[in-house]
Amino acid sequence: MGVLMSRRQTVEQVQKVSLAVSAFKDGLRERPSTKRRAEAWGGRRGTLEHVVQEVQEEEEERPEAAGPSQTRQEESHANRAAWERLRDGRGLEPEEFDRANRFTPPAFVRPTRELHDDEPLELSLEQREQVSSDEMCEICEVWTAESLFPCRVCTRVYHDGCLRRMGFLQNSSAVEVTETAHTETGWSCYYCDNLNLLLTEEEMYSLMETFQQCKIIPETCLTQDNFLHYKHLVHKRHFERPMSEEQEERAALQFSALDPDKKGHVEWPDFLSHESIVLLQKLRPQNSLLRLLTAKERERARAAFLPLSQDSQGLISEGECRKAQHTWFRKHQKEAPSCNVSISHVGPMSESSPASSGSSRSQEKTLLGTEQEESRPVDWPTFLKENVIYILAARPNSAAIHLKPLA
């Protein structure tokens, strides 16, 4: 569908582009000379710009005698561009898709943490929230009733035509959006689909520094060996000891959850979302994570808790709380050919199967304490705190599970 933009909107877009061009030119005039770069080095440390600049300077300092080939230079340029996109939270470069009839992609601004965001947050179970979506398209600000597609996480709504012009809706994903946006599964907009945008600039710098030290190249796929090697390096870096057998099994299960189609590798967006949510789980207190939930997500949490708390005290068991952690991942399942049915669809695996040997050992360990856990009561605030990280991890549209709950 086509969407006409008003004259006011056209003028506003032209003004925004003019301001951006002027700011870019001012930045070029104010750029320090080569002699002053060494003096400014200390000021750049600890920022996202420092990581990207470090990669660029490493490439420039390589000796000319080495005679890099044209292919090597192209790969170096592509790597620098990938680091810059990772720093800025951007996807495809404008030149990577047809610019005809396109809108300007939005500039993502990373959030900042409030001073007291780790203080307890009171969220009433009985007081329901009125959840409603916006009336006008987030991109063109035009209302066209039933043709708008709502986000399942935030209140934004979109035209499919506007999403195509922004480059966020390709032909392969257009059918999926139209099929799931108005269903119980729902669809996440490009803001909510990217878990990396939840990180602050300081958190993103920490993640980029880890990638650089572990030789992870942005926008590349990771095989299971690469994934486990990276997990070993990160664990040894933080704890100064190798991973245990149980931790390695858990990492292998997480890789399988990130590769639902069994391609043998994890796509870069899924790996980045996984690492972003793991970093949030590590650095942020649960009260801070609760503040990231939207009204729609809080209402879904109430809808999940209320049927379980049948007694007058409003308590559920630990086992019910753990089961709820798996229910947030409502993914759109693509139909698979009948000749390629996954073994998980036909029943349990044999105990002697090699594929089940690793997971069976971990399941035996977790089942030992199940009876004790079932007896521990869980109230509404505890339920929220123990589920919030999985609610956030379930935002992306990808079929991958970006943070696999414990069995």
Side-chain angles (χ1 to χ4, degrees):
M1 59 172 286
V3 178
L4 295 178
M5 300 181 64
S6 65
R7 183 176 181 181
R8 177 183 62 83
Q9 294 165 345
T10 305
V11 171
E12 288 177 352
Q13 284 198 349
V14 172
Q15 290 174 344
K16 290 178 181 179
V17 172
S18 301
L19 290 174
V21 172
S22 301
F24 178 74
K25 290 180 178 180
D26 294 340
L28 290 179
R29 287 194 294 267
E30 296 173 1
R31 178 181 293 180
S33 63
T34 305
K35 293 181 180 180
R36 293 168 56 192
R37 285 180 183 175
E39 299 175 359
W41 176 260
R44 285 190 287 107
R45 185 167 299 275
T47 64
L48 300 182
E49 187 67 30
H50 159 61
V51 178
V52 178
Q53 187 69 26
E54 188 179 51
V55 174
Q56 293 176 347
E57 292 180 358
E58 286 179 358
E59 297 292 339
E60 294 173 356
E61 292 174 0
R62 290 182 177 178
E64 295 295 336
S69 62
Q70 183 68 21
T71 304
R72 183 73 173 272
Q73 292 178 353
E74 292 176 356
E75 291 178 354
S76 173
H77 175 74
N79 289 342
R80 289 200 300 269
W83 277 109
E84 291 171 355
R85 286 195 293 273
L86 179 61
R87 172 197 63 190
D88 300 333
R90 292 183 285 118
L92 294 175
E93 285 293 322
E95 62 268 16
E96 294 181 13
F97 53 77
D98 183 16
R99 295 182 67 102
N101 299 322
R102 296 281 184 178
F103 292 161
T104 303
F108 297 113
V109 179
R110 294 202 171 273
T112 57
R113 291 187 59 182
E114 300 296 333
L115 183 61
H116 304 293
D117 71 343
D118 57 344
E119 294 182 354
L121 180 64
E122 295 294 335
L123 293 175
S124 173
L125 175 62
E126 293 77 15
Q127 185 177 356
R128 308 301 291 265
E129 300 180 63
Q130 296 296 328
V131 178
S132 61
S133 297
D134 297 339
E135 295 183 351
M136 295 188 296
C137 174
E138 174 72 14
I139 299 173
C140 69
E141 299 181 355
V142 173
W143 178 80
T144 52
E146 72 280 352
S147 62
L148 290 169
F149 294 98
C151 175
R152 66 183 173 189
V153 179
C154 64
T155 61
R156 302 182 184 94
V157 293
Y158 300 86
H159 293 116
D160 57 343
C162 292
L163 291 172
R164 287 191 179 93
R165 288 180 175 86
M166 294 286 288
F168 293 118
L169 187 62
Q170 307 300 328
N171 293 331
S172 58
S173 57
V175 177
E176 180 179 344
V177 172
T178 55
E179 288 181 351
T180 61
H182 295 285
T183 64
E184 184 180 357
T185 300
W187 163 82
S188 296
C189 69
Y190 51 84
Y191 286 105
C192 303
D193 181 62
N194 189 352
L195 296 180
N196 185 252
L197 296 180
L198 295 176
L199 301 184
T200 64
E201 183 175 348
E202 294 78 13
E203 292 166 342
M204 189 59 206
Y205 167 75
S206 174
L207 184 60
M208 291 178 65
E209 186 180 42
T210 300
F211 286 166
Q212 192 175 18
Q213 292 179 354
C214 296
K215 309 300 181 184
I216 296 294
I217 301 176
E219 300 182 7
T220 57
C221 300
L222 277 79
T223 64
Q224 183 171 3
D225 291 340
N226 299 143
F227 184 81
L228 292 179
H229 179 66
Y230 167 79
K231 290 294 185 181
H232 274 284
L233 291 177
V234 172
H235 187 273
K236 192 170 184 179
R237 177 189 173 202
H238 290 161
F239 302 101
E240 298 182 352
R241 64 175 183 271
M243 292 174 62
S244 64
E245 182 180 355
E246 183 180 358
Q247 290 170 329
E248 187 172 355
E249 289 177 6
R250 194 177 305 163
L253 291 174
Q254 179 62 70
F255 177 86
S256 299
L258 292 172
D259 181 26
D261 297 331
K262 309 303 178 186
K263 297 179 180 178
H265 65 266
V266 174
E267 301 291 342
W268 171 254
D270 292 325
F271 174 73
L272 182 60
S273 290
H274 165 69
E275 288 300 312
S276 300
I277 201 69
V278 168
L279 189 64
L280 282 176
Q281 186 182 35
K282 174 186 174 184
L283 298 182
R284 302 268 192 107
Q286 290 176 325
N287 289 322
S288 178
L289 294 176
L290 287 175
R291 285 176 165 80
L292 298 179
L293 295 180
T294 64
K296 290 183 179 181
E297 290 172 323
R298 292 192 294 268
E299 276 300 294
R300 279 200 292 270
R302 290 186 179 97
F305 183 85
L306 284 173
L308 300 176
S309 58
Q310 299 297 334
D311 59 353
S312 59
Q313 297 180 345
L315 300 175
I316 65 173
S317 66
E318 169 69 12
E320 290 173 325
C321 182
R322 285 189 176 274
K323 289 177 183 178
Q325 296 173 357
H326 295 264
T327 62
W328 309 117
F329 299 95
R330 299 180 297 180
K331 301 294 184 177
H332 176 68
Q333 300 296 334
K334 299 179 181 179
E335 293 184 2
S338 58
C339 60
N340 188 27
V341 179
S342 171
I343 194 170
S344 61
H345 294 158
V346 297
M349 292 180 290
S350 170
E351 294 181 359
S352 59
S353 171
S356 65
S357 59
S359 60
S360 62
R361 288 195 299 267
S362 59
Q363 289 176 1
E364 289 175 0
K365 295 176 182 177
T366 55
L367 289 175
L368 293 176
T370 301
E371 295 182 358
Q372 296 178 354
E373 292 176 350
E374 290 283 350
S375 62
R376 184 173 75 91
V378 176
D379 57 7
W380 164 243
T382 305
F383 175 83
L384 267 183
K385 291 179 180 180
E386 295 185 3
N387 280 268
V388 59
I389 194 66
Y390 300 105
I391 298 175
L392 296 173
R395 285 184 176 183
N397 296 308
S398 168
I401 296 179
H402 297 95
L403 187 63
K404 184 176 177 60
L406 299 176

